[in-house]
């Protein structure tokens, strides 16, 4: 992949992540943006674009970090099947953590754990769908790595929103998650098209 394609992937990911985060942020708090007039809306929109751009940069760092880890793991374990099994175990571990530890940290006395299962399972479902499209465009060996990237790496990138006590507000969780998901989805489904290698495993 040449420099032009790397630059293309960088800027398109940045733009897509920024716009998606800004749209979600404005829609989730539309009254606040509309009540103060045009300038309030404009500056609020620019603020959301800036936050979303920063989050999309985190997504890009996570993507290239996973590409490196993936290659190193394949060399270390000498077996695609073994590395895939480890990734599946880590996916299940992260799913458990997202549910149980957030429940312990944030649940009030009258809340049940079921309310904390919705977002992790929705994220898992979305990750499965994206991994399926990656597999369809490339080959069946890419499904587990793609699922791992979309679920585990996205969750790691999402940790700042999950660990700040005041951000248990679902609005901010979605504001952080939207640019991560769109940026990671775009990167994952675009890379093999840029490289022209339909056997790409990342």
């Amino acid at each position: 992949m040449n420099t032009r394609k790397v630059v293309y992937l960088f800027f398109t990911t940045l733009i897509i992540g920024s716009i998606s985060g800004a749209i979600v942020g404005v829609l989730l708090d539309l009254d606040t943006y509309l009540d103060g007039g045009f300038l309030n809306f404009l500056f609020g929109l620019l603020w959301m674009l800036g936050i979303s751009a920063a989050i999309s940069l985190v997504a890009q760092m996570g993507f290239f970090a996973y590409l490196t880890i993936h290659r190193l793991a394949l060399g270390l374990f000498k077996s695609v099947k073994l590395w895939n099994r480890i990734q599946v175990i880590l996916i299940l571990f992260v799913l458990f953590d997202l549910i149980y530890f957030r429940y312990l940290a944030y649940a009030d006395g009258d809340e049940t754990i079921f309310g904390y299962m919705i977002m992790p399972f929705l994220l898992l479902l979305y990750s499965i769908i994206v991994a399926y499209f990656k597999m369809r465009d490339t080959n069946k060996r890419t499904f587990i790595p793609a699922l791992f990237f979309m679920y585990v790496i996205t969750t790691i990138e999402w940790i700042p929103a999950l660990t700040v006590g005041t951000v248990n507000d679902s609005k901010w969780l979605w504001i952080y998650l939207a640019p991560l998901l769109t940026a990671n989805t775009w990167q994952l489904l675009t890379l093999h098209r840029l490289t022209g290698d339909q056997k790409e495993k990342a």
Side-chain angles (χ1 to χ4, degrees):
M1 192 162 77
N2 58 36
T3 303
R4 182 178 60 83
K5 292 179 179 179
V6 172
V7 172
Y8 170 81
L9 183 62
F10 173 81
F11 281 106
T12 54
T13 302
L14 184 66
I15 292 169
I16 289 170
S18 300
I19 292 175
S20 64
I23 291 173
V24 170
V26 170
L27 290 178
L28 289 177
D29 201 12
L30 191 57
D31 291 339
T32 301
Y33 288 91
L34 295 180
D35 285 347
F38 175 74
L39 286 179
N40 179 71
F41 177 81
L42 178 62
F43 286 118
L45 179 61
L46 291 175
W47 180 68
M48 283 305 309
L49 283 169
I51 291 176
S52 301
I55 296 171
S56 70
L57 289 175
V58 173
Q60 295 192 57
M61 288 188 289
F63 181 61
F64 286 103
Y66 175 69
L67 290 178
T68 303
I69 292 170
H70 182 63
R71 297 301 178 188
L72 289 175
L74 289 175
L76 177 64
F77 296 115
K78 306 295 184 183
S79 170
V80 174
K81 288 184 179 180
L82 176 58
W83 173 227
N84 280 347
R85 288 170 184 166
I86 293 172
Q87 290 183 97
V88 170
I89 292 171
L90 290 173
I91 290 168
L92 296 175
F93 181 76
V94 169
L95 175 62
F96 173 80
D97 283 356
L98 272 178
I99 297 170
Y100 187 66
F101 288 114
R102 286 195 66 243
Y103 171 72
L104 289 182
Y106 298 115
D108 295 327
D110 58 343
E111 285 187 302
T112 67
I113 197 171
F114 295 104
Y116 289 84
M117 296 172 66
I118 297 173
M119 192 173 286
F121 276 104
L122 286 177
L123 178 58
L124 180 61
L125 177 61
Y126 180 85
S127 300
I128 290 171
I129 293 171
V130 174
Y132 166 77
F133 281 106
K134 178 71 174 183
M135 178 183 69
R136 189 191 67 176
D137 290 347
T138 54
N139 57 71
K140 64 181 181 181
R141 292 176 297 172
T142 63
F143 181 81
I144 296 300
L147 178 58
F148 180 88
F149 170 72
M150 286 303 302
Y151 197 73
V152 176
I153 302 301
T154 299
T155 300
I156 292 172
E157 295 164 349
W158 199 22
I159 283 176
L162 295 171
T163 54
V164 177
T166 57
V167 187
N168 193 41
D169 181 357
S170 61
K171 177 184 75 175
W172 279 103
L173 291 176
W174 285 114
I175 288 173
Y176 273 78
L177 184 59
L180 290 177
L181 281 182
T182 53
N184 284 339
T185 301
W186 173 255
Q187 292 177 110
L188 190 68
L189 298 182
T190 302
L191 181 62
H192 59 272
R193 294 184 173 90
L194 292 178
T195 60
D197 184 3
Q198 295 304 304
K199 299 298 182 182
E200 179 64 49
K201 299 178 183 178

